[in-house]
């Protein structure tokens, strides 16, 4: 507990001091508070993106999935490997055009590229909707650590959740004062702790358990036992019946990873186009860490975590493994890694959601003449409200509901990919067709997910079902994405044949290859036909 609190206190101080780190010339601009002044170099960006994408919930959920089902939980490893080559193709273009035109959010780019307020607000609201449960799950990660620590066991609800209130209050305070600079600075500590803990865990714990041979034997024995449905509960290798689900979930998740607003926020905070490219080349180092992290699920099985406990919560497997196997002082280090691993992404996510609301809802529809100082003030307030919403979500709703909505978040955010990625390479798609495709993908995916039940919930009980026309079980989000793309293509052909009016494109070809400093050149709006 002492070690955990010392680390927590240290990062709290760092969070407040971050407002003086790389101090802005004019802090009353949204890109200063919400993007760190677009000034982060290669290493700061690398740690920021790592802290952003590999969250406390990753630390908890990936090994928990391996603990519960075996090999299928490893889908997160190939999806991160697939993601970086894909985004290497388009993120530098997004950075360049955003730098030239001062775009702060992906919805800003959609608004400028297609001249469509409706499509822009659809992308913005989808981003906020997908981000909210993600923030909530960071708080779930902190709760898992506090549960194993035995903290918050008071007789009433306030005392029980008091540690979570304190963590929330600290997070809200330093995010409000320091903006994106706070999680960028804290990410150095978070990522260093995560790497140390995982490397020690995958070496030290197997030595105590008798080696990896025994670890895999124990896992095989557990998964061969029939579950509640009479079938084996998992496997060490994904069987033929699960391969389509595994592959489509990995590929769909790879497409969705950098559609999340917090991922884009980390990219747009980079100081140069080459910084983005370098990071997409070196980010796979985190995928190696993720593979080792997933192994902790097997180690928890071999250590007997939750053995014989009916309905054991697999989300507690890793914290309990650390508590059982490590010396108490190093357990504090490991728990600090998880706790800080929740604070960093939660801060970035709340900032990203606040940027979306401020730029694409407040300024677009409520106060078009808002000054930069007003934008910054509204964004700070919005970031607080987003975190309050996430806290209420965690306290009042079942944790399984939060997990289900996070799975839905991946499905929803994937539906923005057609408009965003296609717009970086072509102006061919019609704005109304893209909006219709987005709507069809959202409705279809949500409706299919609603119909899935599980032992824990009657609706939204999973993210895979039969793929229409193929008959194999696959990821709903990817099916909805394909349907979204088909609708966008077909309707674009129809609307072009009918000569439906197109919105004005304010970008130029050169904008997508611009380097730092090119934003000083005033760009005149270009007619759509020129592109």
């Amino acid at each position: 507990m002492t070690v955990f609190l010392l680390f927590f206190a240290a990062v709290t101080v760092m969070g407040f001091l971050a407002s003086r780190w790389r101090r802005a010339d004019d802090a009353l601009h949204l890109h200063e508070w919400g993007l760190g002044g677009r000034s982060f170099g290669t290493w700061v960006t690398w740690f920021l993106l790592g802290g952003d994408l590999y969250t406390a919930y990753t630390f908890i959920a990936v090994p928990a999935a391996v603990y519960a089902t075996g090999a299928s939980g490893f889908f997160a490893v190939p999806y991160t490997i697939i993601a970086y080559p894909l985004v290497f193709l388009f993120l530098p273009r997004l950075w360049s055009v955003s730098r030239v035109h001062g775009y702060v959010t992906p919805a800003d780019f959609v608004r400028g590229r297609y001249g469509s307020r409706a499509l822009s607000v659809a992308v913005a609201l989808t981003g906020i909707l997908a981000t909210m449960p993600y923030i909530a799950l960071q708080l779930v990660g902190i709760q898992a650590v506090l549960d194993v620590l035995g903290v918050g066991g008071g007789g009433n609800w306030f005392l029980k959740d008091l540690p979570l209130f304190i963590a929330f209050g600290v997070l809200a305070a330093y995010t409000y004062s320091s903006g994106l600079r706070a999680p960028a600075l804290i990410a150095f500590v978070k990522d260093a702790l995560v790497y140390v803990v995982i490397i020690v865990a995958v070496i030290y714990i197997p030595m105590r358990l008798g080696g990896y041979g025994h670890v895999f034997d124990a896992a095989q024995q557990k998964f061969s036992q029939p579950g509640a449905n009479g079938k084996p509960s998992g496997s060490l290798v994904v069987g033929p019946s699960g391969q389509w689900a595994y592959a489509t979930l990995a590929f769909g998740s790879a497409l969705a990873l950098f559609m999340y607003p917090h991922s884009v926020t980390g990219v747009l905070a980079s100081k140069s186009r080459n910084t983005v490219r370098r990071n997409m080349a070196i980010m796979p180092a985190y995928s190696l860490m993720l593979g080792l992290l997933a192994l902790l699920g097997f180690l928890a099985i071999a250590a007997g975590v939750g053995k014989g406990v009916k309905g054991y919560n697999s989300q507690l497997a890793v914290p309990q493994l650390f508590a059982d196997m490590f010396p108490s002082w190093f357990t504090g280090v490991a728990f600090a890694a998880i706790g800080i691993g929740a604070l960093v992404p939660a801060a970035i996510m709340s900032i990203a959601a606040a940027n979306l609301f401020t730029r694409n809802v407040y300024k677009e529809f409520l106060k078009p003449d808002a000054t930069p100082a007003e934008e910054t003030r509204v964004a700070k307030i919005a970031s607080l409200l987003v975190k309050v919403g996430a806290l209420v979500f965690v306290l009042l709703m079942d944790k399984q509901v939060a997990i289900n909505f996070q799975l839905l978040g991946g499905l929803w955010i994937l539906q923005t990919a057609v408009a965003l990625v296609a717009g970086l390479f072509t102006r061919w798609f019609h704005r109304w067709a893209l909006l219709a495709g987005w709507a069809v993908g959202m409705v279809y995916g949500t409706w299919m997910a609603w119909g899935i039940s599980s032992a824990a919930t009657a609706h939204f009980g999973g993210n895979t079902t039969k793929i229409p026309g193929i008959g194999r079980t696959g990821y709903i989000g990817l099916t909805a994405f394909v349907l979204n793309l088909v609708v966008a293509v077909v309707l674009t052909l129809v609307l072009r044949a009918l000569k439906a009016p197109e919105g004005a494109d304010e970008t130029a070809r050169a904008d997508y290859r611009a380097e730092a400093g090119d934003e000083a050149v005033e760009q005149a709006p270009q007619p759509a036909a020129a592109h």
Side-chain angles (χ1 to χ4, degrees):
M1 177 65 75
T2 302
V3 173
F4 176 81
L5 291 177
L6 284 174
F7 273 109
F8 193 86
V11 298
T12 300
V13 172
M14 289 176 67
F16 286 109
L17 291 179
S19 61
R20 302 182 181 182
W21 178 52
R22 297 170 179 263
R23 186 186 293 273
D25 294 332
D26 184 357
L28 298 180
H29 276 273
L30 186 58
H31 75 269
E32 289 291 350
W33 180 84
L35 292 181
R38 305 180 194 261
S39 63
F40 297 151
T42 300
W43 286 111
V44 176
T45 302
W46 189 69
F47 280 104
L48 178 65
L49 286 174
D52 184 10
L53 300 174
Y54 299 89
T55 68
Y57 187 64
T58 306
F59 214 129
I60 297 292
V62 171
V66 172
Y67 172 89
T69 64
S72 62
F74 276 91
F75 85 92
V77 179
Y79 106 60
T80 57
I81 294 171
I82 294 168
Y84 299 118
L86 288 175
V87 299
F88 185 89
L89 297 175
F90 69 84
L91 282 181
R93 295 176 68 86
L94 178 61
W95 181 91
S96 291
V97 71
S98 298
R99 185 80 176 210
V100 171
H101 291 277
Y103 299 148
V104 174
T105 70
D108 280 351
F109 164 70
V110 169
R111 174 74 167 90
R113 179 61 154 161
Y114 299 103
S116 173
R117 299 173 75 195
L119 185 59
S120 172
V121 78
V123 170
L125 293 178
T126 304
I128 295 171
L129 184 66
T131 302
M132 287 290 290
Y134 221 152
I135 301 172
L137 284 185
Q138 306 316 309
L139 301 181
V140 169
I142 295 177
Q143 268 196 330
V145 169
L146 295 176
D147 285 348
V148 175
L149 278 171
V151 176
N156 62 61
W157 68 270
F158 180 77
L159 291 178
K160 181 177 183 296
D161 293 314
L162 181 59
L164 195 61
F165 289 142
I166 295 172
F168 164 83
V170 169
L171 169 66
Y174 68 63
T175 303
Y176 186 93
S177 66
S178 303
L180 194 64
R181 288 174 172 82
L185 189 58
I186 295 171
F188 284 93
V189 177
K190 176 259 184 187
D191 288 4
L193 285 177
V194 167
Y195 269 106
V196 168
V197 169
I198 292 175
I199 291 171
V200 170
V202 298
I203 296 173
Y204 173 74
I205 295 177
M207 290 172 61
R208 289 197 58 186
L209 295 175
Y212 273 104
H214 172 68
V215 168
F216 288 114
D217 285 343
Q220 179 62 49
Q221 184 177 359
K222 174 183 183 290
F223 295 135
S224 64
Q225 300 298 317
N229 59 2
K231 298 179 180 179
S233 57
S235 65
L236 289 181
V237 179
V238 177
S241 62
Q243 289 174 3
W244 271 77
Y246 185 94
T248 55
L249 184 57
F251 185 60
S253 300
L255 293 177
L257 182 61
F258 276 88
M259 296 301 106
Y260 278 104
H262 57 277
S263 303
V264 176
T265 296
V267 170
L268 297 186
S270 304
K271 71 176 182 181
S272 72
R273 180 184 173 96
N274 279 337
T275 298
V276 178
R277 293 164 65 88
R278 288 191 205 103
N279 268 277
M280 294 309 104
I282 62 178
M283 281 299 291
Y286 279 100
S287 299
L288 173 62
M289 180 272 291
L290 191 59
L292 298 176
L293 175 62
L295 286 175
L296 298 182
F298 289 146
L299 297 181
I301 294 172
V305 172
K307 188 173 183 179
V309 180
K310 188 175 181 180
Y312 180 74
N313 181 5
S314 61
Q315 306 293 320
L316 300 179
V318 167
Q320 191 62 58
L321 173 70
F322 291 160
D324 292 347
M325 302 301 294
F326 284 145
S328 61
W329 69 269
F330 197 76
T331 301
V333 175
F335 284 177
I338 299 175
I340 298 168
L343 297 179
V344 170
I348 302 170
M349 290 170 189
S350 64
I351 290 169
N355 290 345
L356 283 168
F357 172 79
T358 302
R359 271 296 180 93
N360 308 114
V361 178
Y362 177 78
K363 185 169 184 177
E364 187 70 51
F365 295 97
L366 302 179
K367 194 170 184 184
D369 60 345
T371 65
E374 285 180 286
E375 283 187 310
T376 305
R377 178 178 56 82
V378 170
K380 287 182 174 183
I381 295 172
S383 74
L384 292 178
L385 294 177
V386 165
K387 286 189 278 287
V388 169
L391 183 65
V392 171
F393 193 91
V394 168
L395 295 179
L396 299 185
M397 302 188 75
D398 185 84
K399 304 300 181 292
Q400 186 61 44
V401 176
I403 294 170
N404 292 344
F405 272 94
Q406 194 275 329
L407 296 176
L408 272 175
L411 183 160
W412 289 331
I413 203 65
L414 182 54
Q415 306 317 309
T416 66
V418 180
L420 181 61
V421 178
L424 292 168
F425 295 95
T426 177
R427 188 58 162 67
W428 181 79
F429 284 97
H430 196 282
R431 53 181 176 157
W432 297 346
L434 289 169
L435 186 60
W438 166 84
V440 169
M442 292 285 286
V443 171
Y444 171 83
T446 306
W447 173 59
M448 293 302 293
W450 169 266
I452 299 176
S453 61
S454 68
T457 181
H459 302 288
F460 303 125
N463 54 9
T464 58
T465 190
K466 294 288 185 183
I467 303 173
I470 296 178
R472 301 294 191 106
T473 299
Y475 177 40
I476 297 170
L478 188 59
T479 306
F481 169 79
V482 172
L483 190 59
N484 176 350
L485 181 60
V486 169
V487 169
V489 169
V490 172
L491 281 184
T492 294
L493 292 171
V494 172
L495 291 168
R496 289 196 176 281
L498 296 174
K499 299 189 184 303
E502 298 189 45
D505 179 5
E506 69 181 23
T507 69
R509 286 181 186 274
D511 298 347
Y512 297 88
R513 298 185 298 275
E515 298 288 352
D518 291 352
E519 69 274 15
V521 179
E522 187 68 28
Q523 296 290 334
Q526 302 290 321
H531 307 293

Short mmCIF file of all heavy atoms in Angstrom, two decimals, residues 305-331:
data_model
loop_
_atom_site.label_atom_id
_atom_site.label_comp_id
_atom_site.label_asym_id
_atom_site.label_seq_id
_atom_site.Cartn_x
_atom_site.Cartn_y
_atom_site.Cartn_z
N VAL A 305 -5.22 -19.19 -9.14
CA VAL A 305 -6.06 -18.02 -8.86
C VAL A 305 -7.51 -18.34 -9.22
O VAL A 305 -7.81 -18.77 -10.34
CB VAL A 305 -5.57 -16.79 -9.67
CG1 VAL A 305 -6.56 -15.63 -9.53
CG2 VAL A 305 -4.19 -16.37 -9.22
N GLY A 306 -8.41 -18.15 -8.27
CA GLY A 306 -9.83 -18.37 -8.51
C GLY A 306 -10.24 -19.82 -8.60
O GLY A 306 -11.41 -20.12 -8.87
N LYS A 307 -9.32 -20.75 -8.38
CA LYS A 307 -9.64 -22.17 -8.52
C LYS A 307 -10.66 -22.60 -7.47
O LYS A 307 -10.51 -22.32 -6.28
CB LYS A 307 -8.37 -23.00 -8.36
CG LYS A 307 -8.56 -24.47 -8.68
CD LYS A 307 -7.23 -25.22 -8.66
CE LYS A 307 -7.43 -26.68 -9.05
NZ LYS A 307 -6.14 -27.42 -9.05
N GLY A 308 -11.71 -23.26 -7.94
CA GLY A 308 -12.75 -23.75 -7.05
C GLY A 308 -13.77 -22.71 -6.63
O GLY A 308 -14.72 -23.01 -5.91
N VAL A 309 -13.60 -21.45 -7.10
CA VAL A 309 -14.53 -20.38 -6.75
C VAL A 309 -15.57 -20.28 -7.87
O VAL A 309 -15.23 -19.94 -9.01
CB VAL A 309 -13.81 -19.03 -6.58
CG1 VAL A 309 -14.82 -17.94 -6.24
CG2 VAL A 309 -12.74 -19.14 -5.51
N LYS A 310 -16.80 -20.56 -7.57
CA LYS A 310 -17.86 -20.51 -8.59
C LYS A 310 -18.13 -19.07 -9.01
O LYS A 310 -18.29 -18.17 -8.19
CB LYS A 310 -19.14 -21.14 -8.03
CG LYS A 310 -20.23 -21.32 -9.08
CD LYS A 310 -21.43 -22.04 -8.50
CE LYS A 310 -22.50 -22.24 -9.56
NZ LYS A 310 -23.69 -22.95 -9.02
N GLY A 311 -18.16 -18.86 -10.32
CA GLY A 311 -18.43 -17.53 -10.85
C GLY A 311 -17.33 -16.53 -10.56
O GLY A 311 -17.59 -15.34 -10.43
N TYR A 312 -16.08 -17.02 -10.50
CA TYR A 312 -14.97 -16.11 -10.18
C TYR A 312 -14.84 -15.03 -11.25
O TYR A 312 -14.93 -15.29 -12.45
CB TYR A 312 -13.66 -16.90 -10.08
CG TYR A 312 -12.46 -16.04 -9.76
CD1 TYR A 312 -12.28 -15.53 -8.47
CD2 TYR A 312 -11.52 -15.72 -10.73
CE1 TYR A 312 -11.19 -14.73 -8.16
CE2 TYR A 312 -10.41 -14.92 -10.43
CZ TYR A 312 -10.25 -14.44 -9.15
OH TYR A 312 -9.18 -13.65 -8.86
N ASN A 313 -14.63 -13.78 -10.80
CA ASN A 313 -14.48 -12.65 -11.71
C ASN A 313 -13.08 -12.67 -12.31
O ASN A 313 -12.11 -12.33 -11.64
CB ASN A 313 -14.73 -11.35 -10.94
CG ASN A 313 -14.61 -10.12 -11.83
OD1 ASN A 313 -14.43 -10.22 -13.05
ND2 ASN A 313 -14.71 -8.95 -11.23
N SER A 314 -12.97 -13.01 -13.59
CA SER A 314 -11.67 -13.13 -14.23
C SER A 314 -10.93 -11.79 -14.30
O SER A 314 -9.72 -11.76 -14.48
CB SER A 314 -11.82 -13.73 -15.64
OG SER A 314 -12.62 -12.90 -16.46
N GLN A 315 -11.67 -10.67 -14.17
CA GLN A 315 -11.03 -9.36 -14.19
C GLN A 315 -10.09 -9.15 -13.01
O GLN A 315 -9.20 -8.29 -13.05
CB GLN A 315 -12.09 -8.25 -14.18
CG GLN A 315 -13.15 -8.36 -15.27
CD GLN A 315 -12.58 -8.14 -16.66
OE1 GLN A 315 -11.74 -7.27 -16.84
NE2 GLN A 315 -13.02 -8.92 -17.62
N LEU A 316 -10.26 -9.96 -11.97
CA LEU A 316 -9.39 -9.85 -10.80
C LEU A 316 -8.20 -10.79 -10.86
O LEU A 316 -7.36 -10.79 -9.96
CB LEU A 316 -10.19 -10.15 -9.52
CG LEU A 316 -11.39 -9.26 -9.21
CD1 LEU A 316 -12.08 -9.72 -7.94
CD2 LEU A 316 -10.98 -7.80 -9.10
N ALA A 317 -8.10 -11.58 -11.94
CA ALA A 317 -7.08 -12.63 -12.00
C ALA A 317 -5.66 -12.07 -11.93
O ALA A 317 -4.83 -12.57 -11.17
CB ALA A 317 -7.26 -13.47 -13.27
N VAL A 318 -5.36 -11.05 -12.71
CA VAL A 318 -3.99 -10.52 -12.73
C VAL A 318 -3.65 -9.80 -11.43
O VAL A 318 -2.58 -10.05 -10.85
CB VAL A 318 -3.78 -9.61 -13.96
CG1 VAL A 318 -2.50 -8.80 -13.83
CG2 VAL A 318 -3.72 -10.46 -15.22
N PRO A 319 -4.50 -8.88 -10.92
CA PRO A 319 -4.16 -8.29 -9.62
C PRO A 319 -3.96 -9.33 -8.52
O PRO A 319 -3.05 -9.22 -7.71
CB PRO A 319 -5.36 -7.37 -9.32
CG PRO A 319 -5.91 -7.03 -10.65
CD PRO A 319 -5.72 -8.26 -11.49
N GLN A 320 -4.81 -10.37 -8.53
CA GLN A 320 -4.68 -11.40 -7.50
C GLN A 320 -3.41 -12.22 -7.70
O GLN A 320 -2.74 -12.60 -6.73
CB GLN A 320 -5.90 -12.32 -7.53
CG GLN A 320 -5.99 -13.26 -6.33
CD GLN A 320 -6.11 -12.50 -5.02
OE1 GLN A 320 -7.04 -11.72 -4.85
NE2 GLN A 320 -5.18 -12.71 -4.10
N LEU A 321 -3.05 -12.48 -8.97
CA LEU A 321 -1.80 -13.18 -9.27
C LEU A 321 -0.61 -12.41 -8.71
O LEU A 321 0.28 -13.00 -8.07
CB LEU A 321 -1.65 -13.34 -10.79
CG LEU A 321 -0.31 -13.90 -11.28
CD1 LEU A 321 -0.18 -15.37 -10.90
CD2 LEU A 321 -0.17 -13.71 -12.79
N PHE A 322 -0.59 -11.11 -8.92
CA PHE A 322 0.51 -10.30 -8.40
C PHE A 322 0.54 -10.33 -6.88
O PHE A 322 1.62 -10.45 -6.27
CB PHE A 322 0.37 -8.85 -8.88
CG PHE A 322 0.59 -8.66 -10.35
CD1 PHE A 322 0.12 -7.52 -11.00
CD2 PHE A 322 1.26 -9.61 -11.10
CE1 PHE A 322 0.33 -7.34 -12.36
CE2 PHE A 322 1.47 -9.44 -12.46
CZ PHE A 322 1.01 -8.31 -13.08
N ALA A 323 -0.62 -10.23 -6.25
CA ALA A 323 -0.68 -10.23 -4.79
C ALA A 323 -0.21 -11.56 -4.21
O ALA A 323 0.44 -11.59 -3.15
CB ALA A 323 -2.11 -9.93 -4.33
N ASP A 324 -0.51 -12.65 -4.91
CA ASP A 324 -0.15 -13.99 -4.42
C ASP A 324 1.32 -14.34 -4.64
O ASP A 324 1.93 -15.03 -3.82
CB ASP A 324 -1.01 -15.06 -5.09
CG ASP A 324 -2.47 -14.98 -4.67
OD1 ASP A 324 -2.77 -14.28 -3.69
OD2 ASP A 324 -3.32 -15.62 -5.35
N MET A 325 1.89 -13.86 -5.78
CA MET A 325 3.20 -14.35 -6.20
C MET A 325 4.36 -13.40 -5.93
O MET A 325 5.49 -13.83 -5.79
CB MET A 325 3.17 -14.69 -7.70
CG MET A 325 2.11 -15.71 -8.09
SD MET A 325 2.30 -17.30 -7.24
CE MET A 325 3.86 -17.87 -7.89
N PHE A 326 4.10 -12.10 -5.89
CA PHE A 326 5.20 -11.15 -5.71
C PHE A 326 5.42 -10.82 -4.23
O PHE A 326 4.48 -10.91 -3.42
CB PHE A 326 4.88 -9.83 -6.43
CG PHE A 326 5.04 -9.88 -7.92
CD1 PHE A 326 4.19 -9.16 -8.74
CD2 PHE A 326 6.04 -10.63 -8.52
CE1 PHE A 326 4.34 -9.17 -10.12
CE2 PHE A 326 6.19 -10.67 -9.90
CZ PHE A 326 5.35 -9.94 -10.70
N PRO A 327 6.61 -10.41 -3.86
CA PRO A 327 6.81 -9.80 -2.53
C PRO A 327 5.92 -8.57 -2.42
O PRO A 327 5.60 -7.93 -3.42
CB PRO A 327 8.29 -9.41 -2.54
CG PRO A 327 8.92 -10.20 -3.63
CD PRO A 327 7.86 -10.44 -4.65
N SER A 328 5.55 -8.21 -1.22
CA SER A 328 4.56 -7.15 -1.04
C SER A 328 5.00 -5.82 -1.65
O SER A 328 4.19 -5.09 -2.23
CB SER A 328 4.25 -6.96 0.45
OG SER A 328 5.43 -6.58 1.14
N TRP A 329 6.30 -5.50 -1.55
CA TRP A 329 6.77 -4.21 -2.09
C TRP A 329 6.61 -4.18 -3.61
O TRP A 329 6.24 -3.16 -4.18
CB TRP A 329 8.20 -3.93 -1.67
CG TRP A 329 9.23 -4.84 -2.30
CD1 TRP A 329 9.68 -6.03 -1.80
CD2 TRP A 329 9.90 -4.63 -3.54
NE1 TRP A 329 10.60 -6.58 -2.65
CE2 TRP A 329 10.77 -5.74 -3.74
CE3 TRP A 329 9.88 -3.63 -4.50
CZ2 TRP A 329 11.58 -5.88 -4.85
CZ3 TRP A 329 10.70 -3.75 -5.63
CH2 TRP A 329 11.53 -4.87 -5.80
N PHE A 330 6.90 -5.33 -4.28
CA PHE A 330 6.80 -5.33 -5.74
C PHE A 330 5.33 -5.44 -6.18
O PHE A 330 4.97 -4.98 -7.27
CB PHE A 330 7.61 -6.47 -6.35
CG PHE A 330 7.87 -6.28 -7.83
CD1 PHE A 330 8.81 -5.38 -8.27
CD2 PHE A 330 7.12 -6.98 -8.77
CE1 PHE A 330 9.03 -5.18 -9.64
CE2 PHE A 330 7.33 -6.79 -10.13
CZ PHE A 330 8.30 -5.88 -10.56
N THR A 331 4.50 -6.02 -5.34
CA THR A 331 3.05 -5.98 -5.62
C THR A 331 2.58 -4.54 -5.68
O THR A 331 1.76 -4.17 -6.53
CB THR A 331 2.28 -6.75 -4.53
OG1 THR A 331 2.73 -8.10 -4.48
CG2 THR A 331 0.78 -6.74 -4.82
#
